[in-house]
Amino acid sequence: FDDTNLAYLCDPQQRAQAKERGDDPNQLPHAYAALINSVIDSRPKDLTIAVHLCRGNMQSAWVAEGGYEPVADALFNELNVDAYFLEYDDARSGGFEPLRFVPKEKIVVLGLVSSKLAALEPVADITRRIDEAAKFVPLDQLALSPQCGFSSTIAGNAVTVEEQKAKLRLVVEVAREFSLDIVHAHYAVPHATAAFLAKQVLASTRQGRAPSVVTTLHGTDITLVGNDPSYSEIVAFSIEIGRAHV
């Protein structure tokens, strides 16, 4: 699921706006968790559900900022999902301290690679931040992904295709160093297909062991198929290869 409400409640300005509307920003996270649970609690036992907390993603811009502390307890202990895709690409996402609320049975995917900025993150910086996060949640509960999608709208972000490829190669490199178990692809096309190729590369260099790929199906994928049905097979393929069990 792609959720903005919980992400926006991390932002002091958004919380102030909620108060102006007559809402209690301290109670809203619990209400949002209950609402989402009412939809997903009857899911099949073999269906894995994750939530991405999106802070806005259009033309390299964003909407919300602030650490996860205001929503952490409800997010990790009341929302009945299996995994969380959290944006952690810069200082506006705050520190890793809220991860102390994560239960042992859940996975946190760290969005440490920016999908908004073209600059390539140094491997040393990514590995250092994974180590920092591991102080609050065990390493075997952590995974890595880009912070969001490279293009949530037709306008895209200020990141070229070659720069996107370089960032995906970075995820592969770090995954190899940490022997990570999961790679998140935000959008079926082209990112899940690229992640599939990355998986094949890792399998050939890690004695057949490669991470699972989790794909977030986005409205952009639906629009793509609606405008041109010839994309339906590759979108379906990309979704199927992204059915990872956590």
Side-chain angles (χ1 to χ4, degrees):
F1 283 88
D2 208 44
D3 181 83
T4 58
N5 293 320
L6 288 165
Y8 284 20
L9 284 175
C10 298
D11 189 307
Q13 292 187 359
Q14 298 283 344
R15 293 174 65 83
Q17 292 175 13
K19 287 183 179 180
E20 292 174 2
R21 294 193 302 267
D23 292 321
D24 183 347
N26 294 319
Q27 291 301 317
L28 282 177
H30 306 285
Y32 291 151
L35 175 63
I36 295 174
N37 288 343
S38 71
V39 176
I40 66 176
D41 278 352
S42 60
R43 67 185 183 271
K45 292 182 179 180
D46 62 347
L47 176 62
T48 297
I49 292 184
V51 61
H52 166 60
L53 268 65
C54 183
R55 296 162 176 261
N57 186 46
M58 181 178 179
Q59 294 181 294
S60 293
W62 46 270
V63 177
E65 62 182 358
Y68 294 98
E69 191 74 26
V71 302
D73 193 16
L75 175 66
F76 297 126
N77 293 305
E78 296 180 24
L79 187 59
N80 297 330
V81 298
D82 304 292
Y84 304 87
F85 294 99
L86 303 181
E87 299 190 2
Y88 266 119
D89 56 317
D90 60 21
R92 67 188 174 88
S93 300
F96 296 115
E97 290 81 1
L99 299 183
R100 68 188 185 278
F101 288 99
V102 177
K104 292 182 178 180
E105 70 276 8
K106 294 188 175 184
I107 296 293
V108 172
V109 185
L110 302 172
L112 300 175
V113 179
S114 176
S115 62
K116 291 179 169 60
L117 303 177
L120 190 64
E121 295 81 356
V123 171
D125 287 356
I126 298 296
T127 57
R128 173 181 53 80
R129 299 196 70 203
I130 292 174
D131 286 335
E132 290 174 358
K135 295 176 181 178
F136 301 97
V137 63
L139 184 61
D140 61 4
Q141 288 179 246
L142 295 176
L144 175 66
S145 80
Q147 148 254 333
C148 194
F150 289 116
S151 177
S152 291
T153 70
I154 194 170
N157 287 337
V159 185
T160 68
V161 172
E162 289 305 314
E163 288 164 343
Q164 293 174 32
K165 291 179 181 178
K167 285 177 178 282
L168 293 175
R169 285 193 294 268
L170 173 64
V171 173
V172 172
E173 184 176 349
V174 176
R176 181 181 293 122
E177 179 171 340
F178 277 86
S179 296
L180 296 179
D181 295 320
I182 301 173
V183 171
H184 172 225
H186 196 91
Y187 309 117
V189 176
H191 306 123
T193 45
F196 172 72
L197 294 176
K199 180 177 179 179
Q200 304 310 304
V201 171
L202 286 171
S204 68
T205 59
R206 286 166 56 176
Q207 292 75 49
R209 182 177 178 274
S212 298
V213 176
V214 177
T215 301
T216 300
L217 179 64
H218 198 276
T220 306
D221 295 308
I222 306 299
T223 302
L224 181 66
V225 174
N227 289 336
D228 189 343
S230 67
Y231 282 101
S232 60
E233 290 187 9
I234 186 63
V235 169
F237 173 79
S238 300
I239 294 169
E240 287 299 316
I241 62 175
R243 293 174 62 189
H245 296 281
V246 179

